[in-house]
Amino acid sequence: MLRIENWQILSASRREELLVRPPQHHDAKKRVTEIIHSVQQEGDVALLRWTRELDGIDLARIFHTDLLRKPGSQMDAALDSHFDLSSRDTYSPASKCSPALPHQPPRPPRHDQYEISGLASLQVSPKEIAAATISPQAMEAVMTAVKNITHFHQETLPENKHISTAPGVLLERIYRPISRVGFYVPGGNKTPLVSSLLMQALPAKVAGCPMRVMCTPPNAEGVIDPVLLVVARLCDIKQVYKIGGAQAIAAMAYGTKSIPKVDKIFGPGNAYVTEAKVQVSSDPEGAAIDMPAGPSEVMILADASANPLFVAADLLAQAEHGADSQVFLLCEDPLFAEAVHQALVDQYQHLTRQEFIKKSLQHSAILICQDRSVMIEIVNRYGPEHLMIQCVDAASWVDHITAAGTIFLGSWAAETLGDYVTGSNHILPTYGFARQRSGLSTGDFMKSMCVQSISEEGLRTLGKSACTLAMLEGLDAHANAISQRLQVMEKI
Amino acid sequence: MLRIENWQILSASRREELLVRPPQHHDAKKRVTEIIHSVQQEGDVALLRWTRELDGIDLARIFHTDLLRKPGSQMDAALDSHFDLSSRDTYSPASKCSPALPHQPPRPPRHDQYEISGLASLQVSPKEIAAATISPQAMEAVMTAVKNITHFHQETLPENKHISTAPGVLLERIYRPISRVGFYVPGGNKTPLVSSLLMQALPAKVAGCPMRVMCTPPNAEGVIDPVLLVVARLCDIKQVYKIGGAQAIAAMAYGTKSIPKVDKIFGPGNAYVTEAKVQVSSDPEGAAIDMPAGPSEVMILADASANPLFVAADLLAQAEHGADSQVFLLCEDPLFAEAVHQALVDQYQHLTRQEFIKKSLQHSAILICQDRSVMIEIVNRYGPEHLMIQCVDAASWVDHITAAGTIFLGSWAAETLGDYVTGSNHILPTYGFARQRSGLSTGDFMKSMCVQSISEEGLRTLGKSACTLAMLEGLDAHANAISQRLQVMEKI
């Protein structure tokens, strides 16, 4: 079911081949460009059309019909809640001095039937969010996650710094939350990806981002799973929109009448969503993104102290994510490898997502390695999203790891715990991006500014050097800004 | 020379128009894609061809001729230095356990004349770097910059954190330098952009990035300005390549025989370089980038305490960067605005880069504002790369600023000081990106990993919640990874 290979006897090209990531679909590019352009040009109309065409859900019909049946009630409620969110069109960040700019675009005319039905169809009403309920058991689990994720992200908030680099020169690095952030929660699984939402919304709340918007595809009835609405409520998200796919990313990047433009878009998604994120982030008028998301992956290092049952379960847990997930076990003992394989085959029988697991295992492997140094080489070369070290001296390996999204230490450290409840963020660099990127953190929801206070003394200390460097670069207007000041200073 | 507008009486659309950034050239896209593909396919041959075609410099001819005149000397030296850099092709990061992987690609055959001349032409030899000298005055200025930039970036190094979120759960966020980083130093000005190199190379050195590569276009004689080589030496850069433009970005993103592949590319550049950075960063096989660079810009807030001479000089300093630079002064007093304008016209006469300044001022303005709150609105809406506050109570404005790359406080705080020597980083978000992004910092040369140590107690504390959440998401293999462990635990 999962190939076992002896690394030492493999050719260089076979090694290369084994560690290659499953190729990503690049045919999404053209279609995604088309979707983005249509949303830029037609706004909500395009959103409703793509949802109908791609997701098979006719939100306009569902909700328009509804409105006709109960005239004046649901529609008005939706409109009111919509217009109450005064920050929507002309967001001005939390500042005592920032009333809305006077030239805000006019509100959509109420008589525009299509716009109105688009709006009522796309946004989840505050009432719906307030009314959503889940079982006490689910609530307890969610609250555990909320508590730990909040705790970890609070503790890892970036801190302001004050540094004096020269007499009369004080530099302060200060942080500000990003004003408008958008969360994408995929619906691929047909089940609510509660944890995807928590991992975006809680750091944003901790960072203090004043405007937080969420998009997720609706189900066939045009509604969002109540557990997602409960989590949205717990995370203080007021704006939830029923839209998925590349069209959701385009809507948040450029804004429509119903959906506000944001500054940065977060969250995982399929090939279309990822492609849309890449495209809008390369347009200065679009939005920044957290990182390009690839398929999930795990690499497990195990020695004789590891339990084959746990290792097998961890490989299967990763493999169930999708057909293009990739899992590796690195160990020295072929008998251990056999035991893991047997456990994997046994446990597989009782799992529901067998179709994904089977496909994922096709481009996965157990690699028998000669020694620890070979294992570390492979890890650093591959740069796995998740690394699990189930060895007797797990902690001592960490110093040698240069590229991994997150590292689980010890036999009891199931990746599932980190995926949901330890408090760490599970949005991590995949596809080898761990070589250059970090997992999501509170800092990704903020930006820093360097405040430079420079006195007369500071200018006297550094002015000459700055002038010399400016002239080396041929920038005499830069030098002039110093010499104008030095001249005045001499006269005082 | 610089238009003066009364903000209060302007229409909404005129306001919008005034704050619009100069449009960027988008016709670079196709040409850049062509350049990148050719470098991927032909390597050094393409690099030499583009340098000949686009920069008008025939490196192969210059150096090949040279080699023929002095056979065996310069060429061999270049080759030896080249092969001594054993980290080049198969970089393995600083780890006691990482010998080079056994399957490294074969070295280029020595008999391939073109490859050899390509290599000798493209790389600056260690001897040349060691031999470069500059004037004592220039050296003193450079050393001041090195000292302060190093100091600031050391103090702002990200710090590891240890957090226990639950009994038996310890999360450690640790940082690792990015293994291979590339610096781009543009040559557009025909003068050495010393500070561009310092602002990339010093944070990389402070972060501990083991492999640091630099590309910059050569002059007509095929050589690099000695001041850049001196700075490269001071920053401990061993690999300097004579290549500019989109082809340099492609070379660092994908690697050629002569130029090593890197994980992340830094540095400013023209529209081609920026487009190339965007393109390689959206390819998983390419490289990450620092940020897309746009034209430089400044917004100055000034009251009666400001000196019109200084304000004019600061506007001119920004405007000389390029035709698409943008500068704004925001003030309340029309007479002050007139005084600044007069000073600007006077100082302009003595500057050399008048052509750029004239064009830049065409899409710039002095805006007369009714009061402080209007100014702050404009600043936060525009999100300037540089903000200067030359007001009597400068520091008290900072709390209200939500989007700016860096902020200079007080009349003596010339932006020129921050551009070169205060120690802060001058690679900053332009084009409104200050809403989402930070200026360059040591953290951009590192990535974090979250190390999760979870004991039996940790699993007991969190296992049930993790299981519940996994089942909510329909992921029973995730739940299985917990229950396998809980079953074993009960038996112990």
Side-chain angles (χ1 to χ4, degrees), chain A residues 12 101 103 165 176 189 191 195 320 377 401-402 406 411 422 447 450 473 478 485, chain B residues 101 103 165 176 189 191 195 314 320 377 381 401-402 406 411 422 447 450 473 478 485:
Chain A
L101 287 175
H103 64 285
T165 50
R176 292 278 187 271
N189 204 8
T191 54
S195 59
E320 81 168 332
E377 271 172 46
I401 306 300
T402 59
T406 188
S411 272
T422 59
K447 63 258 163 83
C450 183
E473 294 189 352
H478 277 64
R485 285 175 168 85
Chain B
L101 286 178
H103 63 287
T165 50
R176 292 280 187 271
N189 204 10
T191 54
S195 59
D314 293 332
E320 79 168 333
E377 269 172 47
R381 174 179 169 187
I401 305 300
T402 59
T406 188
S411 273
T422 59
K447 64 260 162 83
C450 184
E473 294 189 351
H478 277 63
R485 285 173 166 87

mmCIF file of all heavy atoms in Angstrom, chain A residues 12 101 103 165 176 189 191 195 320 377 401-402 406 411 422 447 450 473 478 485, chain B residues 101 103 165 176 189 191 195 314 320 377 381 401-402 406 411 422 447 450 473 478 485:
data_model
loop_
_atom_site.group_PDB
_atom_site.id
_atom_site.type_symbol
_atom_site.label_atom_id
_atom_site.label_comp_id
_atom_site.label_asym_id
_atom_site.label_seq_id
_atom_site.Cartn_x
_atom_site.Cartn_y
_atom_site.Cartn_z
ATOM 1 N N ALA A 12 20.640 8.572 -7.684
ATOM 2 C CA ALA A 12 20.356 9.987 -7.423
ATOM 3 C C ALA A 12 19.024 10.388 -8.034
ATOM 4 O O ALA A 12 18.211 11.080 -7.400
ATOM 5 C CB ALA A 12 21.473 10.861 -7.984
ATOM 6 N N LEU A 101 -14.049 59.737 5.082
ATOM 7 C CA LEU A 101 -13.709 60.743 4.081
ATOM 8 C C LEU A 101 -14.990 61.249 3.441
ATOM 9 O O LEU A 101 -15.918 60.495 3.209
ATOM 10 C CB LEU A 101 -12.783 60.134 3.026
ATOM 11 C CG LEU A 101 -11.357 59.879 3.506
ATOM 12 C CD1 LEU A 101 -10.551 59.171 2.423
ATOM 13 C CD2 LEU A 101 -10.680 61.182 3.884
ATOM 14 N N HIS A 103 -15.772 62.028 0.492
ATOM 15 C CA HIS A 103 -16.128 61.678 -0.881
ATOM 16 C C HIS A 103 -16.482 60.206 -1.032
ATOM 17 O O HIS A 103 -16.210 59.598 -2.028
ATOM 18 C CB HIS A 103 -14.967 62.009 -1.790
ATOM 19 C CG HIS A 103 -13.793 61.173 -1.427
ATOM 20 N ND1 HIS A 103 -13.044 61.438 -0.313
ATOM 21 C CD2 HIS A 103 -13.273 60.081 -2.010
ATOM 22 C CE1 HIS A 103 -12.101 60.543 -0.224
ATOM 23 N NE2 HIS A 103 -12.201 59.706 -1.228
ATOM 24 N N THR A 165 20.701 54.624 17.981
ATOM 25 C CA THR A 165 21.898 54.166 17.265
ATOM 26 C C THR A 165 23.015 55.204 17.286
ATOM 27 O O THR A 165 24.154 54.878 16.978
ATOM 28 C CB THR A 165 21.559 53.853 15.789
ATOM 29 O OG1 THR A 165 20.854 54.968 15.230
ATOM 30 C CG2 THR A 165 20.699 52.603 15.669
ATOM 31 N N ARG A 176 1.247 48.190 13.843
ATOM 32 C CA ARG A 176 -0.159 48.541 13.668
ATOM 33 C C ARG A 176 -0.869 47.351 13.052
ATOM 34 O O ARG A 176 -0.312 46.685 12.173
ATOM 35 C CB ARG A 176 -0.305 49.699 12.678
ATOM 36 C CG ARG A 176 0.220 51.018 13.147
ATOM 37 C CD ARG A 176 -0.804 51.707 14.041
ATOM 38 N NE ARG A 176 -0.384 53.054 14.375
ATOM 39 C CZ ARG A 176 0.375 53.359 15.424
ATOM 40 N NH1 ARG A 176 0.796 52.421 16.236
ATOM 41 N NH2 ARG A 176 0.708 54.615 15.659
ATOM 42 N N ASN A 189 -14.419 19.873 1.617
ATOM 43 C CA ASN A 189 -14.676 18.653 2.370
ATOM 44 C C ASN A 189 -16.160 18.388 2.554
ATOM 45 O O ASN A 189 -16.556 17.355 3.062
ATOM 46 C CB ASN A 189 -14.023 18.840 3.748
ATOM 47 C CG ASN A 189 -13.706 17.541 4.405
ATOM 48 O OD1 ASN A 189 -13.826 16.500 3.782
ATOM 49 N ND2 ASN A 189 -13.345 17.609 5.662
ATOM 50 N N THR A 191 -17.704 19.530 4.726
ATOM 51 C CA THR A 191 -17.912 19.645 6.168
ATOM 52 C C THR A 191 -17.282 20.964 6.589
ATOM 53 O O THR A 191 -16.423 21.482 5.888
ATOM 54 C CB THR A 191 -17.236 18.474 6.926
ATOM 55 O OG1 THR A 191 -15.876 18.432 6.520
ATOM 56 C CG2 THR A 191 -17.918 17.163 6.629
ATOM 57 N N SER A 195 -11.473 24.638 12.034
ATOM 58 C CA SER A 195 -10.120 24.981 12.461
ATOM 59 C C SER A 195 -9.482 25.989 11.504
ATOM 60 O O SER A 195 -8.721 26.851 11.927
ATOM 61 C CB SER A 195 -9.257 23.727 12.588
ATOM 62 O OG SER A 195 -9.185 23.047 11.354
ATOM 63 N N GLU A 320 -5.246 11.516 4.471
ATOM 64 C CA GLU A 320 -6.675 11.684 4.214
ATOM 65 C C GLU A 320 -7.031 13.102 3.744
ATOM 66 O O GLU A 320 -8.144 13.353 3.305
ATOM 67 C CB GLU A 320 -7.508 11.308 5.448
ATOM 68 C CG GLU A 320 -7.594 12.384 6.516
ATOM 69 C CD GLU A 320 -8.651 12.093 7.586
ATOM 70 O OE1 GLU A 320 -9.645 11.415 7.283
ATOM 71 O OE2 GLU A 320 -8.446 12.521 8.743
ATOM 72 N N GLU A 377 19.481 15.167 6.422
ATOM 73 C CA GLU A 377 19.674 15.691 5.065
ATOM 74 C C GLU A 377 18.364 15.689 4.283
ATOM 75 O O GLU A 377 18.026 16.661 3.604
ATOM 76 C CB GLU A 377 20.621 14.791 4.285
ATOM 77 C CG GLU A 377 22.075 15.111 4.392
ATOM 78 C CD GLU A 377 22.867 13.992 3.723
ATOM 79 O OE1 GLU A 377 22.512 13.572 2.604
ATOM 80 O OE2 GLU A 377 23.812 13.542 4.381
ATOM 81 N N ILE A 401 17.688 20.832 12.333
ATOM 82 C CA ILE A 401 16.631 21.043 11.335
ATOM 83 C C ILE A 401 16.645 22.498 10.878
ATOM 84 O O ILE A 401 16.515 23.412 11.691
ATOM 85 C CB ILE A 401 15.243 20.696 11.932
ATOM 86 C CG1 ILE A 401 15.225 19.278 12.513
ATOM 87 C CG2 ILE A 401 14.159 20.881 10.869
ATOM 88 C CD1 ILE A 401 15.516 18.185 11.532
ATOM 89 N N THR A 402 16.787 22.694 9.591
ATOM 90 C CA THR A 402 16.793 24.074 9.087
ATOM 91 C C THR A 402 15.512 24.426 8.331
ATOM 92 O O THR A 402 15.251 25.597 8.083
ATOM 93 C CB THR A 402 17.991 24.317 8.143
ATOM 94 O OG1 THR A 402 17.911 23.401 7.053
ATOM 95 C CG2 THR A 402 19.308 24.112 8.867
ATOM 96 N N THR A 406 6.441 23.056 11.087
ATOM 97 C CA THR A 406 6.308 22.869 12.530
ATOM 98 C C THR A 406 6.864 21.488 12.865
ATOM 99 O O THR A 406 6.910 20.610 12.005
ATOM 100 C CB THR A 406 4.833 23.014 12.986
ATOM 101 O OG1 THR A 406 4.764 23.005 14.419
ATOM 102 C CG2 THR A 406 3.963 21.883 12.455
ATOM 103 N N SER A 411 6.402 10.621 21.065
ATOM 104 C CA SER A 411 5.392 9.682 20.576
ATOM 105 C C SER A 411 3.963 10.137 20.832
ATOM 106 O O SER A 411 3.048 9.791 20.097
ATOM 107 C CB SER A 411 5.594 8.316 21.248
ATOM 108 O OG SER A 411 6.509 7.566 20.500
ATOM 109 N N THR A 422 -3.461 22.696 20.265
ATOM 110 C CA THR A 422 -2.320 23.078 21.121
ATOM 111 C C THR A 422 -2.214 24.598 21.214
ATOM 112 O O THR A 422 -1.642 25.135 22.159
ATOM 113 C CB THR A 422 -0.974 22.547 20.575
ATOM 114 O OG1 THR A 422 -0.760 23.064 19.262
ATOM 115 C CG2 THR A 422 -0.939 21.031 20.541
ATOM 116 N N LYS A 447 1.610 45.353 10.529
ATOM 117 C CA LYS A 447 2.785 45.838 9.805
ATOM 118 C C LYS A 447 3.517 46.770 10.737
ATOM 119 O O LYS A 447 2.910 47.378 11.614
ATOM 120 C CB LYS A 447 2.400 46.534 8.500
ATOM 121 C CG LYS A 447 1.549 47.790 8.705
ATOM 122 C CD LYS A 447 0.060 47.554 8.433
ATOM 123 C CE LYS A 447 -0.794 48.661 9.034
ATOM 124 N NZ LYS A 447 -0.926 49.857 8.243
ATOM 125 N N CYS A 450 8.867 52.324 11.241
ATOM 126 C CA CYS A 450 10.007 52.793 12.026
ATOM 127 C C CYS A 450 9.873 54.299 12.206
ATOM 128 O O CYS A 450 9.856 55.052 11.238
ATOM 129 C CB CYS A 450 11.308 52.434 11.316
ATOM 130 S SG CYS A 450 12.740 52.919 12.276
ATOM 131 N N GLU A 473 26.267 58.211 -4.553
ATOM 132 C CA GLU A 473 25.182 57.667 -5.369
ATOM 133 C C GLU A 473 24.694 58.681 -6.409
ATOM 134 O O GLU A 473 23.705 58.431 -7.104
ATOM 135 C CB GLU A 473 24.017 57.209 -4.479
ATOM 136 C CG GLU A 473 24.390 56.031 -3.578
ATOM 137 C CD GLU A 473 23.204 55.425 -2.840
ATOM 138 O OE1 GLU A 473 22.104 56.015 -2.899
ATOM 139 O OE2 GLU A 473 23.378 54.369 -2.210
ATOM 140 N N HIS A 478 19.524 64.841 -2.419
ATOM 141 C CA HIS A 478 19.570 64.218 -1.093
ATOM 142 C C HIS A 478 20.591 64.944 -0.209
ATOM 143 O O HIS A 478 20.325 65.222 0.966
ATOM 144 C CB HIS A 478 19.948 62.736 -1.212
ATOM 145 C CG HIS A 478 18.789 61.848 -1.530
ATOM 146 N ND1 HIS A 478 18.076 61.925 -2.698
ATOM 147 C CD2 HIS A 478 18.210 60.835 -0.823
ATOM 148 C CE1 HIS A 478 17.120 61.016 -2.697
ATOM 149 N NE2 HIS A 478 17.174 60.339 -1.567
ATOM 150 N N ARG A 485 20.099 72.160 6.080
ATOM 151 C CA ARG A 485 19.938 72.150 7.541
ATOM 152 C C ARG A 485 21.239 72.546 8.242
ATOM 153 O O ARG A 485 21.235 73.296 9.215
ATOM 154 C CB ARG A 485 19.481 70.753 7.996
ATOM 155 C CG ARG A 485 18.010 70.475 7.692
ATOM 156 C CD ARG A 485 17.635 69.041 8.041
ATOM 157 N NE ARG A 485 16.189 68.808 8.032
ATOM 158 C CZ ARG A 485 15.474 68.506 6.949
ATOM 159 N NH1 ARG A 485 16.056 68.375 5.775
ATOM 160 N NH2 ARG A 485 14.164 68.305 7.054
ATOM 161 N N LEU B 101 24.830 16.337 -0.412
ATOM 162 C CA LEU B 101 24.080 15.161 -0.845
ATOM 163 C C LEU B 101 24.870 14.456 -1.940
ATOM 164 O O LEU B 101 25.502 15.098 -2.779
ATOM 165 C CB LEU B 101 22.717 15.595 -1.376
ATOM 166 C CG LEU B 101 21.731 16.013 -0.295
ATOM 167 C CD1 LEU B 101 20.435 16.465 -0.929
ATOM 168 C CD2 LEU B 101 21.459 14.874 0.671
ATOM 169 N N HIS B 103 24.079 13.003 -4.628
ATOM 170 C CA HIS B 103 23.671 13.024 -6.030
ATOM 171 C C HIS B 103 23.801 14.404 -6.642
ATOM 172 O O HIS B 103 23.050 14.792 -7.493
ATOM 173 C CB HIS B 103 22.226 12.572 -6.126
ATOM 174 C CG HIS B 103 21.328 13.512 -5.409
ATOM 175 N ND1 HIS B 103 21.288 13.566 -4.051
ATOM 176 C CD2 HIS B 103 20.494 14.459 -5.867
ATOM 177 C CE1 HIS B 103 20.447 14.492 -3.684
ATOM 178 N NE2 HIS B 103 19.947 15.060 -4.771
ATOM 179 N N THR B 165 0.715 26.148 26.738
ATOM 180 C CA THR B 165 -0.700 26.507 26.623
ATOM 181 C C THR B 165 -1.597 25.570 27.426
ATOM 182 O O THR B 165 -2.764 25.886 27.648
ATOM 183 C CB THR B 165 -1.151 26.468 25.151
ATOM 184 O OG1 THR B 165 -0.748 25.219 24.577
ATOM 185 C CG2 THR B 165 -0.538 27.605 24.352
ATOM 186 N N ARG B 176 15.165 30.369 12.215
ATOM 187 C CA ARG B 176 16.317 29.904 11.442
ATOM 188 C C ARG B 176 16.555 30.900 10.310
ATOM 189 O O ARG B 176 15.588 31.385 9.703
ATOM 190 C CB ARG B 176 16.018 28.554 10.789
ATOM 191 C CG ARG B 176 15.871 27.405 11.736
ATOM 192 C CD ARG B 176 17.232 26.887 12.158
ATOM 193 N NE ARG B 176 17.109 25.678 12.946
ATOM 194 C CZ ARG B 176 16.976 25.645 14.271
ATOM 195 N NH1 ARG B 176 16.936 26.769 14.958
ATOM 196 N NH2 ARG B 176 16.891 24.493 14.905
ATOM 197 N N ASN B 189 21.003 54.332 -11.999
ATOM 198 C CA ASN B 189 21.526 55.683 -11.785
ATOM 199 C C ASN B 189 22.891 55.884 -12.416
ATOM 200 O O ASN B 189 23.413 56.984 -12.409
ATOM 201 C CB ASN B 189 21.644 55.865 -10.264
ATOM 202 C CG ASN B 189 21.616 57.293 -9.853
ATOM 203 O OD1 ASN B 189 21.333 58.152 -10.662
ATOM 204 N ND2 ASN B 189 21.929 57.547 -8.607
ATOM 205 N N THR B 191 25.382 55.156 -11.117
ATOM 206 C CA THR B 191 26.272 55.357 -9.971
ATOM 207 C C THR B 191 26.012 54.197 -9.014
ATOM 208 O O THR B 191 24.946 53.586 -9.068
ATOM 209 C CB THR B 191 25.977 56.692 -9.260
ATOM 210 O OG1 THR B 191 24.596 56.731 -8.926
ATOM 211 C CG2 THR B 191 26.331 57.868 -10.138
ATOM 212 N N SER B 195 23.882 52.157 -0.757
ATOM 213 C CA SER B 195 22.940 51.989 0.353
ATOM 214 C C SER B 195 21.968 50.842 0.074
ATOM 215 O O SER B 195 21.571 50.126 0.993
ATOM 216 C CB SER B 195 22.191 53.291 0.614
ATOM 217 O OG SER B 195 21.478 53.694 -0.540
ATOM 218 N N ASP B 314 13.491 68.596 1.211
ATOM 219 C CA ASP B 314 13.025 67.211 1.369
ATOM 220 C C ASP B 314 12.144 66.780 0.189
ATOM 221 O O ASP B 314 12.214 65.640 -0.267
ATOM 222 C CB ASP B 314 12.254 67.055 2.683
ATOM 223 C CG ASP B 314 13.157 67.228 3.911
ATOM 224 O OD1 ASP B 314 14.371 66.937 3.799
ATOM 225 O OD2 ASP B 314 12.655 67.663 4.958
ATOM 226 N N GLU B 320 13.973 63.652 -6.914
ATOM 227 C CA GLU B 320 15.087 63.349 -7.806
ATOM 228 C C GLU B 320 15.243 61.839 -8.061
ATOM 229 O O GLU B 320 16.011 61.428 -8.927
ATOM 230 C CB GLU B 320 16.404 63.922 -7.263
ATOM 231 C CG GLU B 320 17.066 63.113 -6.161
ATOM 232 C CD GLU B 320 18.505 63.576 -5.865
ATOM 233 O OE1 GLU B 320 19.159 64.108 -6.762
ATOM 234 O OE2 GLU B 320 18.937 63.397 -4.705
ATOM 235 N N GLU B 377 -6.267 61.989 7.808
ATOM 236 C CA GLU B 377 -7.079 61.198 6.880
ATOM 237 C C GLU B 377 -6.344 60.941 5.572
ATOM 238 O O GLU B 377 -6.339 59.829 5.053
ATOM 239 C CB GLU B 377 -8.347 61.969 6.512
ATOM 240 C CG GLU B 377 -9.538 61.730 7.382
ATOM 241 C CD GLU B 377 -10.620 62.723 6.982
ATOM 242 O OE1 GLU B 377 -10.881 62.875 5.771
ATOM 243 O OE2 GLU B 377 -11.152 63.355 7.903
ATOM 244 N N ARG B 381 -5.011 57.361 4.180
ATOM 245 C CA ARG B 381 -5.607 56.912 2.934
ATOM 246 C C ARG B 381 -4.528 56.628 1.882
ATOM 247 O O ARG B 381 -4.595 55.634 1.168
ATOM 248 C CB ARG B 381 -6.531 58.014 2.438
ATOM 249 C CG ARG B 381 -7.123 57.762 1.097
ATOM 250 C CD ARG B 381 -8.033 58.933 0.776
ATOM 251 N NE ARG B 381 -8.454 58.917 -0.587
ATOM 252 C CZ ARG B 381 -9.138 59.898 -1.146
ATOM 253 N NH1 ARG B 381 -9.476 60.960 -0.417
ATOM 254 N NH2 ARG B 381 -9.488 59.835 -2.400
ATOM 255 N N ILE B 401 -1.446 57.670 13.128
ATOM 256 C CA ILE B 401 -1.015 57.188 11.811
ATOM 257 C C ILE B 401 -1.169 55.667 11.754
ATOM 258 O O ILE B 401 -0.615 54.950 12.578
ATOM 259 C CB ILE B 401 0.460 57.562 11.540
ATOM 260 C CG1 ILE B 401 0.680 59.062 11.705
ATOM 261 C CG2 ILE B 401 0.889 57.088 10.143
ATOM 262 C CD1 ILE B 401 -0.148 59.933 10.787
ATOM 263 N N THR B 402 -1.923 55.192 10.770
ATOM 264 C CA THR B 402 -2.092 53.738 10.642
ATOM 265 C C THR B 402 -1.337 53.160 9.451
ATOM 266 O O THR B 402 -1.160 51.953 9.379
ATOM 267 C CB THR B 402 -3.581 53.366 10.502
ATOM 268 O OG1 THR B 402 -4.113 54.027 9.348
ATOM 269 C CG2 THR B 402 -4.383 53.787 11.709
ATOM 270 N N THR B 406 7.812 54.557 6.976
ATOM 271 C CA THR B 406 8.631 55.042 8.082
ATOM 272 C C THR B 406 8.232 56.489 8.343
ATOM 273 O O THR B 406 7.697 57.164 7.457
ATOM 274 C CB THR B 406 10.138 54.922 7.766
ATOM 275 O OG1 THR B 406 10.917 55.232 8.936
ATOM 276 C CG2 THR B 406 10.562 55.851 6.637
ATOM 277 N N SER B 411 12.065 68.857 12.629
ATOM 278 C CA SER B 411 12.637 69.599 11.509
ATOM 279 C C SER B 411 14.023 69.130 11.117
ATOM 280 O O SER B 411 14.438 69.256 9.966
ATOM 281 C CB SER B 411 12.718 71.090 11.868
ATOM 282 O OG SER B 411 11.508 71.712 11.533
ATOM 283 N N THR B 422 20.902 56.333 9.708
ATOM 284 C CA THR B 422 20.367 56.223 11.079
ATOM 285 C C THR B 422 20.415 54.769 11.541
ATOM 286 O O THR B 422 20.452 54.494 12.741
ATOM 287 C CB THR B 422 18.899 56.696 11.168
ATOM 288 O OG1 THR B 422 18.104 55.906 10.274
ATOM 289 C CG2 THR B 422 18.762 58.172 10.841
ATOM 290 N N LYS B 447 13.030 32.445 8.983
ATOM 291 C CA LYS B 447 11.688 31.882 9.054
ATOM 292 C C LYS B 447 11.561 31.217 10.404
ATOM 293 O O LYS B 447 12.556 30.802 10.982
ATOM 294 C CB LYS B 447 11.419 30.894 7.920
ATOM 295 C CG LYS B 447 12.300 29.651 7.950
ATOM 296 C CD LYS B 447 13.445 29.743 6.975
ATOM 297 C CE LYS B 447 14.559 28.757 7.293
ATOM 298 N NZ LYS B 447 14.374 27.415 6.802
ATOM 299 N N CYS B 450 7.513 26.226 14.697
ATOM 300 C CA CYS B 450 6.936 26.004 16.024
ATOM 301 C C CYS B 450 7.234 24.564 16.436
ATOM 302 O O CYS B 450 6.820 23.621 15.779
ATOM 303 C CB CYS B 450 5.435 26.272 15.993
ATOM 304 S SG CYS B 450 4.698 26.111 17.624
ATOM 305 N N GLU B 473 -15.059 18.055 11.343
ATOM 306 C CA GLU B 473 -14.552 18.338 9.996
ATOM 307 C C GLU B 473 -14.584 17.099 9.107
ATOM 308 O O GLU B 473 -14.072 17.137 7.982
ATOM 309 C CB GLU B 473 -13.132 18.916 10.074
ATOM 310 C CG GLU B 473 -13.083 20.278 10.740
ATOM 311 C CD GLU B 473 -11.717 20.955 10.629
ATOM 312 O OE1 GLU B 473 -10.757 20.299 10.191
ATOM 313 O OE2 GLU B 473 -11.622 22.145 10.990
ATOM 314 N N HIS B 478 -7.753 11.657 11.269
ATOM 315 C CA HIS B 478 -7.176 12.565 12.273
ATOM 316 C C HIS B 478 -7.584 12.120 13.680
ATOM 317 O O HIS B 478 -6.765 12.091 14.594
ATOM 318 C CB HIS B 478 -7.646 14.006 12.035
ATOM 319 C CG HIS B 478 -6.859 14.742 10.995
ATOM 320 N ND1 HIS B 478 -6.827 14.353 9.676
ATOM 321 C CD2 HIS B 478 -6.061 15.847 11.083
ATOM 322 C CE1 HIS B 478 -6.046 15.186 8.997
ATOM 323 N NE2 HIS B 478 -5.577 16.106 9.824
ATOM 324 N N ARG B 485 -3.622 6.436 20.288
ATOM 325 C CA ARG B 485 -2.756 6.764 21.430
ATOM 326 C C ARG B 485 -3.512 6.615 22.759
ATOM 327 O O ARG B 485 -2.978 6.099 23.743
ATOM 328 C CB ARG B 485 -2.221 8.191 21.291
ATOM 329 C CG ARG B 485 -1.121 8.312 20.239
ATOM 330 C CD ARG B 485 -0.730 9.758 20.015
ATOM 331 N NE ARG B 485 0.527 9.896 19.266
ATOM 332 C CZ ARG B 485 0.619 9.920 17.935
ATOM 333 N NH1 ARG B 485 -0.480 9.780 17.201
ATOM 334 N NH2 ARG B 485 1.790 10.045 17.341
#
